[in-house]
Amino acid sequence: MIVSEPTPSNLPSQDNGPSSTAIFLVLRKMRAPLLVLIVTFAVSVFGLTLIPGQDVDGKPWRMDIFDAFYFMSYTASTIGYGEIPHPFSTGQRMWVTICIYLTVIAWAYAIGTVFSLLGDTGFKTAVSTQRFSRSVRLLREPFLLLVGFGQAGELLARSLDDMDRRLVVLDIDQTRIDSLELASFHNDVPGHVGDARNPEELIRAGLNHPKCAGVIALTSDDEANLAVVMAAALLRPDLPVVARTMDDLIAERMLDFGEPQIVDPFNLFGDELMLAVTAPDTARLATWLTSDPGTVLPEDPELPRAGRWVVCGYGRFGSRLVHDLLRHGIEVTVIETTDTATGGAARILGDATEPEVLQRADLTHAAAFTAATDNDTTNLSLIVAARRANPDLYLVARQNQPVNAPLFDSVAIDSVLVPTRLIAHEVLARIGDPMLWRFLQEARTHSDEWSADLLERMQTSCGRHRPGLYEPVLTGADNPALRSWLDSGHAHLGELLRDPQDRTLPLECTALLLRRGDDVVPAPGDDEVLAAGDQLLLACSVTGRRKLDTILGVPQVLEYVASGERIGNSWVWRALSRRR
């Protein structure tokens, strides 16, 4: 038996369950009230046809079924056209009076049931789920499936929305989905309450939608994130997946399902800290490029390159940091309340908040101090105590709750780990701008001098404020002259990045990365030969980007920067130029 590989087209489509559920609930809840109304009307109409009356001539007359139904219809709707076609007899009026009270009761019963149905939790869930499924089904542009709308998820969603990226959100918490509806996003962001461990919920959220461009799992439950990775790998192996976890075992299990990009904030912070110690200019380059446009180039963090570190707390963050420090040959003293092996670091058993325990750490001869517990109050008090003991210490703190940011800012700590912010920035770099993330990975493989030279070039061309990033693809589809130039085999990058007014001047752009298929060239030089289909990652000023757009879009401008020949726009000038 041949089993075809699952693709978006042959995967099971999103079910119509929510729609069927809403209709079923309406039918089930309204069944009794509708029967009561129908029976009341039938009895009223039938009774009117049996009770005798008189016409205008005093002759006996009986109302037929149509007239009786017509009379009961406008009476029940309170329109009240009166007694037609003839004035009623006393018997008919007595029956109509009874019918009026019966229909009022029946209508009250039906309307009450409708209000009860509108307030029913199951009905509201079915309707909102139906609305969500329809919104996802109607998406016609690429979107990202964001699973988990906590603090990191919200930060990431706002950043992606600012980049005009469409999102679909799935979270197990109703209050978070409610907050999503109240948030001021530029684009409509469909949100749904559901358990990410249920594949049906992921399918409903658009996992098999042909426009789904990627999956981001940022729940606080590692098992749920693992389930998302597994479902995406099995149902949509073509999609990029980014998942958060702080458990090494879960990370290994995730890697069993394809190649998900795993984000561990504690490992990330440790790596960045060690990068700042070993390659400060590379760290500045990464920090600058991942910051908001316009941010001033950060100064050297001046981390202690030598000396002893004191780390309070040997939990998930503290243990990873100690491991990274020891790996780089840095002496470490750990203060921990439990008798735990510290992997070769000196250990002080006790509570660091007690002055006597902190005194045993000999902070006066230490170079750096880290408050790494999972309690913000404890970390702040430790930082204050450490600074009092040695004002020259380099201070690192873990901030667990973003709401405590003003307190940490007021203490002026040298480096603060905010896991939610770090996760959001990392995911944004990886899936929001893959070219930038690829460049940052390549930069780490080069020397710190290479990064320092690139920073110098960027400052010379764009200034000290973070330039914008531009990623043109050199296809020449809209400019035949560009395609001819690229196909000539002599299209050098340095010629393209020239001022269109005076080609002797460089453009306000710095090339960071050249991608050709699966290969990349970090910081390509001016002599790099370009080809059709190449994609560039450029750091440009606003003026530089505008000029580059002109070069890529206007053949005469491209001819000037490439060869130095100025060609007019008129047919006569172009003809004369060709004859020369």
Side-chain angles (χ1 to χ4, degrees):
M1 183 176 67
I2 299 175
V3 180
S4 62
E5 186 178 353
T7 64
S9 58
N10 64 14
L11 282 168
S13 61
Q14 295 178 32
D15 60 271
N16 294 321
S19 175
S20 304
T21 303
I23 296 173
F24 173 75
L25 283 174
V26 171
L27 294 177
R28 191 179 66 177
K29 292 281 187 180
M30 295 302 297
R31 180 172 53 192
L34 288 175
L35 285 175
V36 170
L37 270 176
I38 292 171
V39 170
T40 303
F41 264 73
V43 170
S44 301
V45 170
F46 185 67
L48 275 176
T49 61
L50 294 180
I51 300 175
Q54 290 182 340
D55 61 13
V56 293
D57 298 330
K59 296 179 182 179
W61 167 81
R62 289 182 185 276
M63 188 177 288
D64 59 24
I65 292 181
F66 176 75
D67 287 340
F69 179 75
Y70 176 62
F71 173 79
M72 288 305 303
S73 297
Y74 68 67
T75 301
S77 60
T78 69
I79 295 176
Y81 285 147
E83 297 173 350
I84 55 174
H86 307 295
F88 286 178
S89 65
T90 302
Q92 286 176 315
R93 288 172 181 166
M94 288 183 62
W95 179 249
V96 169
T97 303
I98 295 172
C99 292
I100 288 173
Y101 284 109
L102 286 176
T103 52
V104 167
I105 294 172
W107 275 114
Y109 177 38
I111 294 172
T113 306
V114 169
F115 280 114
S116 173
L117 179 62
L118 293 177
D120 184 80
T121 304
F123 179 74
K124 289 194 291 187
T125 301
V127 171
S128 64
T129 303
Q130 179 186 0
R131 188 184 303 120
F132 171 77
S133 298
R134 188 188 307 116
S135 301
V136 174
R137 198 164 49 244
L138 295 178
L139 284 172
R140 292 294 179 266
E141 51 188 326
F143 67 88
L144 297 170
L145 172 55
L146 174 60
V147 182
F149 195 66
Q151 295 165 345
E154 184 175 357
L155 282 173
L156 177 64
R158 292 190 181 281
S159 299
L160 290 172
D161 184 62
D162 290 339
M163 297 168 63
D164 204 25
R165 298 291 299 270
R166 297 299 304 271
L167 288 171
V168 173
V169 174
L170 179 68
D171 197 290
I172 199 170
D173 192 336
Q174 178 69 57
T175 56
R176 291 176 180 171
I177 297 301
D178 292 342
S179 67
L180 172 66
E181 295 179 354
L182 297 175
S184 55
F185 287 103
H186 300 103
N187 298 299
D188 177 45
V189 181
H192 177 59
V193 179
D195 189 346
R197 287 169 290 196
N198 183 351
E200 289 293 334
E201 297 289 1
L202 294 173
I203 293 174
R204 182 173 295 118
L207 179 61
N208 64 356
H209 194 294
K211 293 296 183 181
C212 184
V215 181
I216 306 169
L218 294 185
T219 74
S220 57
D221 184 345
D222 284 346
E223 289 288 344
N225 293 336
L226 173 62
V228 173
V229 171
M230 181 181 66
L234 297 177
L235 298 177
R236 288 295 303 274
D238 57 309
L239 290 180
V241 180
V242 180
R244 161 189 175 175
T245 184
M246 289 179 280
D247 188 314
D248 293 338
L249 182 59
I250 294 291
E252 292 179 5
R253 293 172 64 186
M254 286 180 175
L255 292 174
D256 292 336
F257 296 95
E259 299 178 350
Q261 300 179 46
I262 299 173
V263 177
D264 183 339
F266 297 152
N267 275 340
L268 282 175
F269 187 79
D271 290 344
E272 291 187 1
L273 206 59
M274 290 303 100
L275 183 67
V277 172
T278 59
D281 285 317
T282 303
R284 292 172 66 207
L285 177 65
T287 303
W288 197 32
L289 289 177
T290 54
S291 62
D292 295 329
T295 303
V296 177
L297 176 64
E299 300 293 336
D300 189 336
E302 297 181 352
L303 265 76
R305 308 292 193 262
R308 183 170 57 90
W309 284 58
V310 177
V311 178
C312 295
Y314 198 71
R316 290 178 300 180
F317 170 52
S319 59
R320 283 171 167 77
L321 180 61
V322 169
H323 174 74
D324 288 334
L325 291 169
L326 292 175
R327 186 159 52 89
H328 287 82
I330 298 175
E331 182 183 1
V332 184
T333 299
V334 176
I335 302 177
E336 174 60 31
T337 55
T338 59
D339 189 8
T340 307
T342 54
R347 184 187 60 189
I348 298 175
L349 189 61
D351 186 352
T353 59
E354 297 178 3
E356 181 271 334
V357 175
L358 208 57
Q359 190 174 7
R360 288 162 53 194
D362 190 17
L363 295 182
T364 54
H365 294 92
F369 177 86
T370 302
T373 74
D374 57 0
N375 186 298
D376 283 349
T377 304
T378 300
N379 290 340
L380 284 169
S381 64
L382 289 174
I383 289 293
V384 172
R387 175 170 289 159
R388 189 185 307 117
N390 183 358
D392 296 329
L393 280 174
Y394 186 86
L395 299 175
V396 180
R398 170 182 172 183
Q399 178 189 325
N400 299 280
Q401 299 298 327
V403 294
N404 291 326
L407 300 179
F408 281 81
D409 291 342
S410 63
V411 181
I413 303 170
D414 296 305
S415 184
V416 180
L417 164 65
V418 186
T420 54
R421 192 181 304 165
L422 193 60
I423 291 171
H425 285 178
E426 182 68 12
V427 175
L428 188 65
R430 293 192 184 199
I431 207 165
D433 195 340
M435 281 281 284
L436 175 59
W437 186 74
R438 181 70 181 272
F439 167 75
L440 295 177
Q441 298 308 304
E442 291 290 333
R444 289 172 180 261
T445 64
H446 289 70
S447 66
D448 202 39
E449 289 73 18
W450 180 88
S451 299
D453 176 66
L454 187 59
L455 278 174
E456 184 65 30
R457 288 161 51 196
M458 291 174 65
Q459 290 184 82
T460 302
S461 60
C462 306
R464 289 186 57 81
H465 292 83
R466 194 265 204 189
L469 298 178
Y470 187 31
E471 301 175 5
V473 180
L474 307 179
T475 62
D478 300 327
N479 186 353
L482 175 61
R483 183 57 185 253
S484 299
W485 183 61
L486 293 172
D487 291 340
S488 68
H490 302 288
H492 294 97
L493 176 62
E495 297 170 351
L496 182 68
L497 302 182
R498 288 283 158 187
D499 193 309
Q501 302 298 327
D502 182 355
R503 68 185 300 271
T504 62
L505 301 176
L507 208 59
E508 298 171 5
C509 293
T510 302
L512 301 179
L513 192 72
L514 167 65
R515 182 168 68 183
R516 181 173 299 153
D518 295 331
D519 298 328
V520 295
V521 179
D526 289 346
D527 57 346
E528 187 71 32
V529 177
L530 302 175
D534 286 353
Q535 184 175 16
L536 292 168
L537 173 63
L538 303 169
C540 296
S541 66
V542 176
T543 304
R545 174 169 179 168
R546 191 181 305 123
K547 290 179 178 178
L548 185 58
D549 283 336
T550 304
I551 295 171
L552 296 176
V554 181
Q556 293 81 3
V557 178
L558 175 63
E559 180 67 25
Y560 171 67
V561 298
S563 65
E565 294 188 22
R566 292 188 181 275
I567 301 177
N569 292 325
S570 66
W571 176 84
V572 175
W573 181 262
R574 293 199 301 271
L576 290 175
S577 298
R578 283 195 294 269
R579 291 174 68 88
R580 283 192 303 170

